[in-house]
Amino acid sequence: SLVIVSCSSDSKPASSDTSDSGKTSENFKKEVDIACRQIDSKIISEDFAIENDNDLDEIALQFGEIEDELDGLISKFEDIEADEESSDDWETIIDDLSHARDLFPQLAELFTQMQQISMDSEDIATSTELQQASDDLTEIQREAEDINLDLTQTMEEIISLSKKLDLGDCMTSN
């Protein structure tokens, strides 16, 4: 399964560290928590999994919905100014979320290609055509696995940085 983002309204009380700019760590964490509560956590959750028996068009649609939710979350996060001490890690989180969001259209395209090959394979007449379809599916699967690995590593970095910044449950797995 893919780990995306888990947001919940339960957050730990934040300390009131104040940076030179006057932005407090507590205010930053509150703003992040508010942004997280505004997204559809049913679409973006650690429980998101692709069922093998799902229609490939439905899976591509789900990827589009996740992309849209991540886009909304990124927009909200870009409006949040981190305290000075957290700003570099915060920018990395936003960049990583943007990278993760950009992977979903690629995954959707791969699933669309798989569906097309599956539909076209019904008309295959020769063993050469069958082997080519099999080779194409193997390559698409390899690409999807590479994207999944990239996505997993990106989300692990987001979770690690979120824990470092003590962002509560918003960006960390429960």
Side-chain angles (χ1 to χ4, degrees):
S1 70
L2 299 172
V3 175
I4 310 302
V5 176
S6 175
C7 289
S8 75
S9 60
D10 299 331
S11 64
K12 301 172 190 167
S15 62
S16 57
D17 301 327
T18 305
S19 68
D20 294 336
S21 68
K23 179 75 175 182
T24 65
S25 175
E26 181 179 335
N27 288 343
F28 164 62
K29 291 173 191 177
K30 281 183 185 176
E31 288 180 46
V32 171
D33 186 57
I34 289 168
C36 282
R37 284 188 266 156
Q38 294 174 349
I39 67 163
D40 185 349
S41 61
K42 292 178 191 119
I43 292 176
I44 302 177
S45 76
E46 67 181 40
D47 298 325
F48 176 79
I50 299 171
E51 302 292 330
N52 289 335
D53 57 353
N54 277 357
D55 182 284
L56 292 175
D57 285 334
E58 181 64 29
I59 292 170
L61 181 64
Q62 289 175 351
F63 287 153
E65 291 171 356
I66 292 169
E67 179 189 4
D68 290 345
E69 285 299 314
L70 282 173
D71 197 46
L73 182 65
I74 292 163
S75 293
K76 288 173 182 18
F77 279 6
E78 287 175 335
D79 292 338
I80 298 172
E81 183 182 332
D83 57 283
E84 189 174 321
E85 185 178 320
S86 304
S87 64
D88 287 343
D89 289 336
W90 183 240
E91 287 301 316
T92 300
I93 287 172
I94 293 171
D95 289 345
D96 283 352
L97 282 171
S98 296
H99 177 69
R101 175 206 53 210
D102 294 344
L103 294 174
F104 282 96
Q106 294 174 42
L107 281 172
E109 176 59 28
L110 291 175
F111 276 86
T112 301
Q113 289 175 19
M114 285 171 45
Q115 174 125 12
Q116 188 61 50
I117 290 170
S118 294
M119 289 177 5
D120 291 348
S121 69
E122 295 171 7
D123 298 328
I124 289 179
T126 69
S127 61
T128 304
E129 291 173 327
L130 184 60
Q131 184 60 49
Q132 183 60 50
S134 177
D135 291 347
D136 291 346
L137 284 173
T138 300
E139 179 59 30
I140 291 170
Q141 182 179 7
R142 193 172 306 124
E143 289 177 44
E145 288 170 356
D146 290 346
I147 292 172
N148 187 37
L149 178 61
D150 187 1
L151 185 59
T152 300
Q153 291 171 339
T154 300
M155 295 313 297
E156 286 172 356
E157 181 177 39
I158 291 169
I159 290 168
S160 174
L161 289 172
S162 297
K163 286 179 180 178
K164 177 182 173 186
L165 297 179
D166 191 27
L167 295 179
D169 292 334
C170 178
M171 300 294 294
T172 59
S173 58
N174 294 329

